[in-house]
Amino acid sequence: MNKSILKFMRKSKTMTLSTDGIKLWGTKVYYALDHGFIFFIEKKGLTIQNIYKNNNVSFEIDNNKLSIIVQGSGHVEILGEPTDFDRERGILLYKVPEDVQFMKHGTVYIARLVPDFIRVIDMRTEFKKFDIDINLDEFTEKQHPVFLSSRPWSFQQSIAAILLGAVLATRINLFLLFLSIMGVLLAQASFNILNGYFDFKSGNDNKLSMTSTRVFIDRIVPERRAVQYSMIMLILAVIIGIYAVYIKPEILLYFVIGLIGGILYNLPRIGLKRMALGDISVFIIWSVIFLGSYIFQGGIINIPVIFISFAVGILTLSILHSNNWRDIKDDKNANVKTVASLLGEKISMIYYLILIYIPYILISTAFYLSYKLLPLLSVFITIPMSVYLARIAINNKNIKRGELDRLTARFTFIFAITGAVFYLGIMFIYGMDKFIL
């Protein structure tokens, strides 16, 4: 199959179905690839009625930005209740996590459309219309299960914290920067896997949970293998950390705080996250990641830098809270106490809004105390993104509420990276060489 078309189908999420005999009407579904197109379909309605009568269905996937349209036809198999199909459900919900809300109401079946014929209209450079051969083995989502369990989307905040800390230092040693990123990401990946594993074993995550990783719930990866990978990554992270301390003994305290904080956060039953201490621990850990990176590059801590570290910690905290806010009901059922579950729905919304706007105040304060931090005021160009998140948070009927943690992670990454890029840009304009090997 044409690789660019296959990549397009993997990247796309929505597909319009039309059953035979209905020319001007169709239903839009979210889909994922698994030896065909898998999706949820409502148990009641015209579409399901026509599929039961005749399972021949035509479909269309389009993307206006790329000017590609994939059309075709095939037969639909109604697999049954989503809770009975672990792997298929997991593949779909990882790609489209907001679909879990339909599962919660028990109003959908999981279905697979097996294509018999596919035609592509490609208008990116010139009009092309061609048929493609179908190989169902290629209809898969290309993501490694253990990699999924590490929640890779969450890495961006750590990378942003490390980069921002390094940029604010006098010089950036590229080798030390690489070492910092590798050590922190290995530790974070390990702790993320363990966090998902313990949530699954404790019953905190179940088939109806809107958890960001479903590899354990949906039996996509064996538990033992994931834990083994986690331990290997943690050992490698510790080795890198010890080497970093050997190079720069000043970061010993930050290394110890980060490591102990990550371990205590994830412990079953008595972990910090289960005693409403997760918020403060995440705030401290990511503030420390920023400060550790800053000191590792030779920076000297002062009051403005501390304010910036608070901004970094609060930005990461906003991601955690958006996740805990979504999971209030599940956490209460599992007897897990979070700040969100203690605050309740309405106060949690206010708390979230405070978390995404306080960093602007902290950055402004840092600039007031040190005018050389002027380039960091560039973060204010991300205000439209924060307004977008606020609108989602305020509207509890918005379908995006289910993936607010991911959207918040993207916002916080752009916030920090914007400041780092503008700061580097100003240094470049004034001819200041920031990089050494």
Side-chain angles (χ1 to χ4, degrees):
M1 183 184 295
N2 185 297
K3 290 184 178 180
S4 65
I5 301 304
L6 187 60
K7 182 179 179 181
F8 165 76
M9 288 194 292
R10 286 176 180 151
K11 187 175 181 180
S12 301
K13 283 188 176 183
T14 58
M15 173 174 62
T16 302
L17 304 177
S18 297
T19 53
D20 284 359
I22 303 177
K23 303 298 184 184
L24 301 177
W25 179 89
T27 185
K28 184 168 285 188
V29 297
Y30 294 104
Y31 77 88
L33 296 178
D34 180 57
H35 293 84
F37 303 93
I38 52 175
F39 53 91
F40 289 151
I41 190 166
E42 290 190 66
K43 293 180 179 179
K44 296 181 180 180
L46 193 56
T47 305
I48 193 74
Q49 292 174 20
N50 280 275
I51 287 174
Y52 276 134
K53 292 178 182 177
N54 183 348
N55 69 348
N56 291 326
V57 168
S58 57
F59 64 88
E60 181 174 300
I61 305 167
D62 64 78
N63 186 318
N64 293 328
K65 292 182 180 179
L66 294 177
S67 299
I68 296 177
I69 300 176
V70 175
Q71 298 173 323
S73 61
H75 56 281
V76 172
E77 305 167 349
I78 305 298
L79 302 180
E81 297 289 343
T83 52
D84 296 332
F85 291 84
D86 293 334
R87 184 177 59 82
E88 293 86 349
R89 178 189 66 243
I91 291 170
L92 176 59
L93 291 182
Y94 184 82
K95 186 175 183 180
V96 195
E98 57 267 37
D99 253 9
V100 78
Q101 63 184 311
F102 302 117
M103 274 182 59
K104 287 187 174 182
H105 294 102
T107 59
V108 294
Y109 288 127
I110 190 167
R112 175 184 279 113
L113 192 163
V114 180
D116 299 319
F117 164 77
I118 294 180
R119 173 164 293 167
V120 176
I121 301 174
D122 187 348
M123 297 176 286
R124 288 174 293 181
T125 53
E126 60 184 51
F127 184 85
K128 295 180 182 178
K129 188 175 182 179
F130 55 92
D131 300 339
I132 59 176
D133 296 327
I134 297 172
N135 180 354
L136 291 180
D137 289 336
E138 294 180 309
F139 278 69
T140 56
E141 300 291 339
K142 292 293 185 182
Q143 293 169 314
H144 193 283
V146 175
F147 183 64
L148 298 185
S149 65
S150 69
R151 303 177 187 178
W153 59 268
S154 68
F155 295 167
Q156 54 193 341
Q157 188 56 34
S158 295
I159 294 173
I162 294 169
L163 288 177
L164 186 58
V167 163
L168 294 182
T170 305
R171 289 285 187 271
I172 302 176
N173 185 305
L174 296 179
F175 171 71
L176 298 184
L177 180 62
F178 173 77
L179 206 64
S180 304
I181 292 175
M182 287 301 299
V184 170
L185 292 191
L186 282 169
Q188 185 178 354
S190 174
F191 291 141
N192 282 347
I193 294 173
L194 291 176
N195 184 38
Y197 172 75
F198 290 136
D199 280 344
F200 168 69
K201 297 300 286 186
S202 67
N204 192 36
D205 285 347
N206 56 63
K207 292 179 180 180
L208 298 180
S209 298
M210 291 192 70
T211 177
S212 57
T213 175
R214 302 181 58 89
V215 295
F216 298 113
I217 299 170
D218 300 317
R219 314 289 182 182
I220 295 175
V221 61
E223 300 167 28
R224 179 176 296 181
R225 184 191 304 172
V227 173
Q228 287 172 344
Y229 276 116
S230 174
M231 290 296 99
I232 292 172
M233 287 187 282
L234 184 57
I235 291 170
L236 290 175
V238 170
I239 292 173
I240 292 174
I242 293 173
Y243 178 64
V245 170
Y246 173 77
I247 296 174
K248 199 85 171 178
E250 295 92 329
I251 68 166
L252 174 61
L253 178 63
Y254 302 92
F255 168 65
V256 172
I257 291 175
L259 182 62
I260 293 178
I263 293 172
L264 293 179
Y265 182 86
N266 287 287
L267 287 177
R269 297 185 180 179
I270 59 172
L272 295 175
K273 66 170 288 186
R274 301 174 187 279
M275 298 186 294
L277 295 174
D279 286 39
I280 187 64
S281 63
V282 163
F283 168 75
I284 291 173
I285 289 170
W286 264 266
S287 296
V288 162
I289 289 175
F290 165 81
L291 290 174
S293 175
Y294 178 73
I295 293 172
F296 200 38
Q297 297 289 345
I300 300 175
I301 291 181
N302 52 43
I303 298 300
V305 168
I306 290 175
F307 274 106
I308 296 170
S309 75
F310 288 168
V312 171
I314 290 173
L315 284 169
T316 311
L317 174 54
S318 68
I319 303 171
L320 173 70
H321 176 66
S322 60
N323 181 286
N324 291 342
W325 179 20
R326 180 195 65 199
D327 295 340
I328 285 178
K329 185 176 179 180
D330 292 335
D331 287 337
K332 285 184 176 179
N333 291 337
N335 198 29
V336 173
K337 293 180 181 179
T338 64
V339 170
S341 63
L342 295 177
L343 293 177
E345 182 69 26
K346 291 184 179 179
I347 305 300
S348 284
M349 180 190 70
I350 297 172
Y351 180 42
Y352 175 79
L353 296 177
I354 292 172
L355 291 176
I356 63 173
Y357 285 114
I358 277 187
Y360 294 109
I361 298 174
L362 292 170
I363 295 296
S364 300
T365 304
F367 163 67
Y368 176 77
L369 296 173
S370 176
Y371 291 146
K372 75 174 185 177
L373 296 175
L374 175 63
L376 293 188
L377 294 184
S378 59
V379 300
F380 278 85
I381 67 176
T382 64
I383 284 182
M385 292 186 68
S386 65
V387 172
Y388 171 70
L389 293 176
R391 289 176 177 172
I392 294 174
I394 292 170
N395 182 5
N396 60 10
K397 294 183 180 179
N398 193 314
I399 193 171
K400 294 291 185 180
R401 277 281 290 270
E403 53 177 333
L404 193 57
D405 54 350
R406 290 172 181 261
L407 296 174
T408 305
R410 183 173 62 185
F411 157 70
T412 59
F413 174 76
I414 294 174
F415 183 105
I417 287 298
T418 298
V421 169
F422 270 79
Y423 196 90
L424 275 179
I426 295 298
M427 296 300 103
F428 177 78
I429 291 172
Y430 281 94
M432 297 179 66
D433 184 11
K434 292 277 291 182
F435 297 98
I436 60 175
L437 294 175

